[in-house]
């Protein structure tokens, strides 16, 4: 299937951070979290095309990524201690890709598909469950003063207000 067929068949919609998504599951169980009562976990499909950027954002929950289809996706992270890390989510484990990965809560992260003219389809499970009240889309102006060593990545991955 081509990328538009994936978007259509899965009923994906544009995501505020970039790319496309669809909520696929919300736990019927609830938990008490730092930010109040939340579903135990939630899950989405997430699709990113080569021409898209999943802009730097931060969640108040852990997010577990699962690779499903297409090309590998690079998850770019700035950890709370200021260190930068990137992980390739994919199936070529001999080349260092991983089929699943956890982005820890409070980590600044975004993603890209580095191979041209393709896409990546992943599943993302958030625990405690995702709530847009816990989603923070970050700008270059907010990040550059705190992380000048990562200016190149910030200029590529953060929104420019």
């Amino acid at each position: 299937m081509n990328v538009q067929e994936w978007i259509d068949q899965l009923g994906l919609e544009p995501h505020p951070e970039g790319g496309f998504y669809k909520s696929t599951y919300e736990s019927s169980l609830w938990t008490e979290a730092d930010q109040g009562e939340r579903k135990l976990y939630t899950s989405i499909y997430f699709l990113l095309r080569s021409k898209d950027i999943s802009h730097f954002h931060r969640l108040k929950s852990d997010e577990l990524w699962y690779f499903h289809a297409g090309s590998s996706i690079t998850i770019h992270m700035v950890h709370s201690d200021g260190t930068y890390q990137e992980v390739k989510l994919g199936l070529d484990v001999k080349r260092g890709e991983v089929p699943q990965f956890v982005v820890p809560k409070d980590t600044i992260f975004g993603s890209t598909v580095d191979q041209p003219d393709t896409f990546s389809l992943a599943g993302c499970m958030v625990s405690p469950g995702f709530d847009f009240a816990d989603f923070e889309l970050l700008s270059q102006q907010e990040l550059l003063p705190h992380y000048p060593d990562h200016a190149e990545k910030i200029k590529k991955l953060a929104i420019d207000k």
Side-chain angles (χ1 to χ4, degrees):
M1 289 196 321
N2 68 39
V3 67
Q4 192 59 51
E5 290 172 318
W6 280 103
I7 292 168
D8 294 342
Q9 290 295 315
L10 295 176
L12 305 179
E13 299 179 7
H15 196 292
E17 78 193 44
F20 298 84
Y21 81 109
K22 180 181 182 180
S23 178
T24 58
Y25 185 77
E26 292 185 356
S27 172
S28 62
L29 302 174
W30 291 79
T31 188
E32 190 62 35
D34 293 343
Q35 58 273 35
E37 195 172 52
R38 294 287 184 262
K39 299 270 186 174
L40 185 59
Y41 68 93
T42 57
S43 186
I44 65 168
Y45 286 128
F46 181 69
L47 183 141
L48 195 65
R49 302 171 298 186
S50 302
K51 63 183 178 180
D52 300 325
I53 292 176
S54 167
H55 292 97
F56 269 148
H57 59 287
R58 182 170 30 212
L59 301 178
K60 294 181 180 178
S61 298
D62 293 340
E63 184 169 65
L64 180 56
W65 288 60
Y66 300 93
F67 181 80
H68 289 311
S71 298
S72 63
I73 188 169
T74 303
I75 305 169
H76 304 267
M77 294 165 282
V78 178
H79 293 281
S80 56
D81 67 359
T83 59
Y84 172 81
Q85 178 187 11
E86 64 181 53
V87 169
K88 293 247 187 225
L89 191 75
L91 298 179
D92 194 345
V93 295
K94 288 183 178 181
R95 295 188 134 193
E97 295 177 3
V98 295
Q100 68 181 38
F101 182 79
V102 175
V103 176
K105 70 177 185 173
D106 299 323
T107 299
I108 297 164
F109 70 105
S111 54
T112 57
V113 176
D114 301 325
Q115 187 176 347
D117 302 317
T118 188
F119 70 95
S120 181
L121 175 65
C124 299
M125 192 269 298
V126 176
S127 180
F130 180 82
D131 187 309
F132 269 107
D134 304 330
F135 173 83
E136 184 181 11
L137 189 60
L138 299 161
S139 71
Q140 294 176 20
Q141 293 77 7
E142 292 169 301
L143 294 174
L144 286 170
H146 299 286
Y147 307 104
D149 292 347
H150 309 308
E152 182 181 335
K153 295 293 182 186
I154 290 169
K155 288 177 182 176
K156 177 180 178 182
L157 293 162
I159 59 172
D160 185 15
K161 285 190 191 178

